[in-house]
Amino acid sequence: MICPHCKKELADNAQVCPQCGYNFLASVQKKGCGCTVAFIIFLAVIVGVFINWLIS
Ligand SMILES: [Zn+2]
C-alpha cells in the first residue's frame, strides 16, 4: 500500500509509516468515528423529516 501522507510504498501490514510516522490504526479509528457521527446526523435528519411529516 502507499502512505497517504508521504506517498512512500509500504508493506501491506504496516501500521506506522517508517518515513513520516503516519499511523494507519489511528486513521482507521478516526474514519470509523466520523462514520458514526455521520450516521447519527443522518438519523437525526430522518427523524426530523418524519416529525415534520407527522405535524403537517
Ligand atoms: Zn508516510
Side-chain angles (χ1 to χ4, degrees), residues 28-43:
V28 166
Q29 281 173 355
K30 206 187 265 180
K31 207 187 262 179
C33 188
C35 255
T36 306
V37 171
F39 181 69
I40 289 170
I41 292 171
F42 174 76
L43 265 184

Side-chain angles (χ1 to χ4, degrees), residues 13-17 22-32:
N13 61 349
Q15 297 179 348
V16 176
C17 174
Y22 182 87
N23 190 325
F24 290 91
L25 293 179
S27 80
V28 166
Q29 281 173 355
K30 206 187 265 180
K31 207 187 262 179

Side-chain angles (χ1 to χ4, degrees), residues 3-8 10 17-22 24:
C3 172
H5 189 256
C6 67
K7 311 298 181 197
K8 181 181 168 68
L10 305 173
C17 174
Q19 181 154 303
C20 70
Y22 182 87
F24 290 91

